[in-house]
């Protein structure tokens, strides 16, 4: 991998990169930075957690003059949390150069945004709905925009943002530089590319498996009613540092977060029906570790980069293979390892196979963790806590009582009792009821592996094992199979429900035939609303 000084970058940007702790470029960065610096339109595909943000962020900030007083770059993201995060990364990259960037998303006070816009940011990072809102108010003007980035392009398409993106791009000069990024590139992305890009270069560093290589994947076959027990045993057994648990609907997420809290886990839910304040709070707590289980709908599936996420659990099987790839990709990022478990009910096994087929990765089956394994995990964690306390010498004021107790009782018995107390088994007894979700049905979607669109792939088949050395180490670079997976789906994808639907409507099961559900209001952002009357106007209070 290349050192960043080998690219033709602004010295102040290189300083920022160094400060961020990046030593070498990742494969997608190595391939896209030179192309982007030359102004080529491009479609960039690389596994989750491999630095796509910096792949477009670095050339972007490198090319902008600090003296510029117009908006010259626009980055669009599907969710608010992602817009915030991308804005933070861009701000870090542009820090020494004095580049001004601003996130613009639904749910945030529009007056405040207008005030921030008066500071003349050069880069806007936003969700499409709120962007359009500002454009209509003329508080955002796009006539000087030279570069547009669509992050998670396929998702924005899928959420029904096509019209919004079209409206936005119609206001950007045609002579522009457009880049499109995602870990997954289903075929319908071609349509978007054809419309918005000019002679794009396809840059793909997707090896055999589209899912990130450092993720240890498994599935557990469980009945709907056993899922909660399976989850708590799993958490006990694995003791994740941070975990994200994905549920199908908002209701599911609410119930699950509450149930976990009742059982004594530090968990909170995230979905599109929460106020932006609540969403921000939950994310902040998760990032700083004051909660360690984030229960979320697919609103958290894309792009979020929280270091320390060691586990992802698909409490409910995701509808789309793409969703699977992105959900599990919240762990195993930036060269770290991660674990992803997926709960599958017996009736959903076919759908799991479908996901395996599309992602070209066999997901091994594991047994449901036993109570003994769960207990063992908990005991281990308790023992570790005890030892930490001992090493920190925070226990000294208890010494007197300890001596007294030891005079009367056997030391092993005494310590066992203390451990039992610490392990806190009593909360396990709390009864928990979740409203059952209907199983996901296998969709008829043609999986044509052979004809996989080689266009996007030029197989840098990488392996995960290289963990030596500093820096990123996600490369490996032997050539090979490099078949991309995205080719597999037919056009049946996208219009028929799935995630947004689930996220939007706590109760309804997927597939109730509501053909247009994608466009009836992704609650995702609650962001798309103000731009189009057919959508729920969730932002009206903003
Ligand atoms: N060259 C690098 N060296 C080390 N770390 C890096 C490098 N580039 C990016 N990172 C870090 O890797 C992590 C993942 O990056 P990023 O969020 O951009 O991934 P992504 O490819 O966009 O993933 P996703 O598909 O999930 O959106 C971030 O924490 C980022 O700071
Ligand atoms: Mg990303």
């Amino acid at each position: 991998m290349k050192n960043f000084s080998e690219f033709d970058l602004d010295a102040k940007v290189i300083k920022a990169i160094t400060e961020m702790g990046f030593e070498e470029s990742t494969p997608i960065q190595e391939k896209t930075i030179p192309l982007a610096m030359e102004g080529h339109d491009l479609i960039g595909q690389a596994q989750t957690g491999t630095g796509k943000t910096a792949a477009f962020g670095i050339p972007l900030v490198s090319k902008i003059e600090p003296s510029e007083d117009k908006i010259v770059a626009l980055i669009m993201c599907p969710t608010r949390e992602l817009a915030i995060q991308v804005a933070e990364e861009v701000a870090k990259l542009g820090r020494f150069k004095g580049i001004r960037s601003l996130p613009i998303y639904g749910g945030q006070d529009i007056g405040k945004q207008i005030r921030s816009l008066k500071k003349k940011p050069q880069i806007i990072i936003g969700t499409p709905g709120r962007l359009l809102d500002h454009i209509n108010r003329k508080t955002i003007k796009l006539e000087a925009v030279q570069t547009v980035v669509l992050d998670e392009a396929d998702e924005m398409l899928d959420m029904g943002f096509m019209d919004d993106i079209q409206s936005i791009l119609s206001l950007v000069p045609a002579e522009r530089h457009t880049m499109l990024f995602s870990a997954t590139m289903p075929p319908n992305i071609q349509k978007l590319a054809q419309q918005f890009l000019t002679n794009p270069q396809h840059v793909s560093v997707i090896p055999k498996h589209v899912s990130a290589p450092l993720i240890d994947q498994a599935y557990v076959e469980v009945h709907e009613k056993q899922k909660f027990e399976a989850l708590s045993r799993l958490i006990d057994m694995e003791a994740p540092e941070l975990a994200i648990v994905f549920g199908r609907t908002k209701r599911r997420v609410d119930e699950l977060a509450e149930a976990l809290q009742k059982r004594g886990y530090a968990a909170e839910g995230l979905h599109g029906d929460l106020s932006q304040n609540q969403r921000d709070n939950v994310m902040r707590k998760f990032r700083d570790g004051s909660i360690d289980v984030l229960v979320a709908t697919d609103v958290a599936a894309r792009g979020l980069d929280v270091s320390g996420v060691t586990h992802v659990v698909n409490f409910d099987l995701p509808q789309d293979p793409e969703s699977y790839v992105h959900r599990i990709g919240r762990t195993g990022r930036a060269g770290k390892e991660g674990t992803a478990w997926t709960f599958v009910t017996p009736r959903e096994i076919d759908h799991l196979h479908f996901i395996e087929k599309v992602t070209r990765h066999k997901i091994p089956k594991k047994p449901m963790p036993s109570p003994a394994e769960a207990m063992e995990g908990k005991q281990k964690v308790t023992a570790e806590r005890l030892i930490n306390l001992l090493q920190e010498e925070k226990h000294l004021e208890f010494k007197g009582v300890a001596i007294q107790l030891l005079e009367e009782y056997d030391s092993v018995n005494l310590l066992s009792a203390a451990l039992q107390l610490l392990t806190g088994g009593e909360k396990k007894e709390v009864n928990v009821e979740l409203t059952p979700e209907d199983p996901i049905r296998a969709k008829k979607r043609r999986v044509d592996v052979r004809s996989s669109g080689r266009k996007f792939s030029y197989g840098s088949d990488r392996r995960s094992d290289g963990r030596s050395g500093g820096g990123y180490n996600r490369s490996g670079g032997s050539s090979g199979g490099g078949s991309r997976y995205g080719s597999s789906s037919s056009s049946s994808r996208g219009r028929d429900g799935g995630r947004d639907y689930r996220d939007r409507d706590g109760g309804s099961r997927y597939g109730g035939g509501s053909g247009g559900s994608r466009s009836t209001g992704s609650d995702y952002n609650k962001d798309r609303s103000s731009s189009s009357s057919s959508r729920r106007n969730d932002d009206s209070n903003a």
Side-chain angles (χ1 to χ4, degrees):
M1 283 307 107
K2 279 193 181 169
N3 194 294
F4 285 101
S5 57
E6 292 171 57
F7 302 107
D8 185 23
L9 300 172
D10 191 302
K12 286 180 180 153
V13 177
I14 294 185
K15 185 175 173 205
I17 294 171
T18 311
E19 198 115 320
M20 288 162 81
F22 301 176
E23 290 167 10
E24 308 178 305
S25 57
T26 66
I28 187 75
Q29 291 163 0
E30 179 174 342
K31 291 192 167 122
T32 50
I33 290 172
L35 290 171
M37 288 302 286
E38 285 169 15
H40 286 288
D41 277 11
L42 60 91
I43 298 173
Q45 186 187 11
Q47 289 159 317
T48 51
T50 59
K52 291 186 288 296
T53 318
F56 60 76
I58 290 171
L60 208 59
V61 296
S62 270
K63 286 165 87 175
I64 297 173
E65 288 303 323
S67 58
E68 181 61 64
D69 64 356
K70 296 203 180 72
I71 298 168
V72 289
L74 182 63
I75 303 171
M76 284 188 253
C77 303
T79 68
R80 299 169 181 183
E81 281 72 19
L82 190 55
I84 297 169
Q85 180 188 296
V86 169
E88 270 167 18
E89 182 134 333
V90 168
K92 278 190 204 155
L93 288 167
R95 193 155 70 103
F96 295 112
K97 205 175 162 188
I99 300 299
R100 298 176 300 279
S101 51
L102 181 69
I104 289 287
Y105 50 91
Q108 201 195 31
D109 178 51
I110 201 152
K112 192 177 152 206
Q113 289 177 345
I114 290 171
R115 282 193 295 283
S116 306
L117 282 162
K118 294 209 166 110
K119 292 183 192 147
K120 308 258 175 233
Q122 297 125 342
I123 308 177
I124 298 289
I125 303 97
T127 48
R130 181 56 71 91
L131 279 173
L132 263 181
D133 217 348
H134 279 284
I135 292 166
N136 293 334
R137 289 165 189 253
K138 310 241 181 311
T139 42
I140 286 185
K141 297 200 179 76
L142 301 177
E143 62 258 6
V145 169
Q146 292 160 3
T147 312
V148 174
V149 178
L150 304 177
D151 193 18
E152 307 292 346
D154 59 322
E155 174 71 350
M156 290 200 283
L157 246 192
D158 221 17
M159 287 169 73
F161 275 142
M162 186 72 174
D163 293 349
D164 288 357
I165 294 174
Q166 236 162 354
S167 313
I168 294 170
L169 291 186
S170 68
L171 301 169
V172 175
E175 273 290 297
R176 61 161 190 263
H177 176 207
T178 311
M179 296 183 276
L180 209 137
F181 283 85
S182 179
T184 51
M185 291 289 174
N188 57 357
I189 206 74
Q190 292 286 4
K191 198 171 107 197
L192 192 102
Q194 266 165 16
Q195 222 174 330
F196 301 133
L197 276 63
T198 317
N199 297 327
Q201 306 257 352
H202 297 273
V203 178
S204 167
V205 276
I206 292 290
K208 272 197 187 116
H209 308 298
V210 72
S211 47
L214 294 174
I215 307 171
D216 183 24
Q217 304 175 44
Y219 82 91
V220 188
E221 192 174 336
V222 280
H223 288 282
E224 181 67 22
K225 282 208 151 84
Q226 297 172 305
K227 280 183 175 178
F228 188 74
E229 197 51 48
L231 177 66
S232 37
R233 284 187 201 168
L234 196 60
I235 297 176
D236 291 345
M237 179 174 87
E238 299 264 302
E241 191 178 324
L242 296 178
I244 303 183
V245 179
F246 285 100
R248 191 171 302 156
T249 62
K250 290 179 283 195
R251 178 187 62 192
R252 176 68 116 194
V253 165
D254 283 337
E255 290 185 0
L256 196 48
E258 198 183 319
L260 285 167
Q261 287 161 7
K262 274 194 193 157
R263 290 276 184 102
Y265 300 101
E268 281 197 42
L270 181 80
H271 58 65
D273 267 2
L274 303 180
S275 72
Q276 191 52 38
N277 237 340
Q278 289 172 311
R279 285 168 74 158
D280 290 346
N281 271 336
V282 172
M283 280 311 293
R284 184 184 42 74
K285 285 192 205 165
F286 190 56
R287 284 189 196 274
D288 74 19
S290 32
I291 53 169
D292 41 40
V293 182
L294 176 71
V295 187
T297 57
D298 273 317
V299 73
R302 292 267 180 164
L304 289 193
D305 182 68
V306 179
S307 69
V309 176
T310 51
H311 289 72
V312 168
V313 181
N314 287 312
F315 192 82
D316 299 311
L317 192 63
Q319 179 69 52
D320 300 319
E322 287 78 12
S323 170
Y324 177 82
V325 168
H326 289 277
R327 282 178 175 192
I328 68 165
R330 296 317 97 211
T331 186
R333 302 176 70 75
K336 294 211 184 98
E337 288 170 68
T339 305
W341 291 72
T342 299
F343 293 169
V344 187
T345 61
R347 286 166 70 188
E348 291 173 328
I349 293 291
D350 281 352
H351 194 69
L352 179 84
H353 293 324
F354 168 68
I355 292 175
E356 288 180 314
K357 214 165 172 181
V358 177
T359 59
R360 310 182 113 208
H361 182 91
K362 181 138 180 56
I363 306 167
K365 182 174 179 175
K366 288 210 178 142
M368 173 151 160
S370 68
E373 283 170 314
M375 183 45 86
E376 204 178 301
K378 282 180 67 159
Q379 289 176 343
K380 219 172 105 195
V381 172
T382 310
E384 273 164 20
R385 277 171 60 202
L386 201 65
I387 290 162
N388 281 342
L389 203 68
L390 201 64
Q391 284 167 347
E392 287 169 16
E393 304 207 329
K394 286 186 179 157
H395 60 291
L396 302 178
E397 55 182 313
F398 284 85
K399 270 193 167 172
V401 197
I403 291 166
Q404 271 179 21
L405 286 168
L406 278 167
E407 278 168 8
E408 250 182 89
Y409 301 97
D410 165 65
S411 58
V412 173
N413 276 331
L414 202 57
L415 186 57
S416 311
L419 283 166
Q420 151 83 39
L421 198 66
L422 271 171
T423 308
E426 70 280 1
K427 284 211 166 165
K428 286 278 134 188
E429 307 307 321
V430 179
N431 199 28
V432 160
E433 281 268 343
L434 300 176
T435 314
E437 289 283 334
D438 284 342
I440 292 239
R441 305 273 160 77
K443 268 203 288 189
K444 294 276 175 289
R445 167 163 147 184
R446 196 166 48 85
V447 178
D448 183 0
V449 169
R450 275 161 308 138
S451 71
S452 58
R454 304 209 173 255
K455 231 181 194 168
F456 287 171
S457 72
Y458 50 92
S460 59
D461 193 355
R462 308 180 301 103
R463 238 347 288 172
S464 55
D465 315 318
R467 259 165 237 146
S468 58
Y472 206 91
N473 276 320
R474 308 201 87 198
S475 59
S478 71
S479 69
S483 40
R484 89 179 181 90
Y485 97 99
S487 54
S488 45
S489 59
S490 78
S491 57
S492 68
R493 169 173 209 266
R495 283 289 134 201
D496 51 356
R499 175 196 343 86
D500 300 342
Y501 191 50
R502 299 193 301 268
D503 197 36
R504 182 170 56 88
D505 177 358
S508 11
R509 78 182 242 287
Y510 151 75
S514 74
S517 63
R518 292 276 176 193
S519 54
T520 52
S522 134
D523 86 312
Y524 237 68
N525 281 301
K526 299 163 109 189
D527 178 76
R528 329 170 25 205
S529 46
S530 39
S531 58
S532 160
S533 54
S534 68
R535 294 170 185 155
R536 295 192 321 165
N537 197 346
D538 295 308
D539 269 348
S540 48
N541 58 351

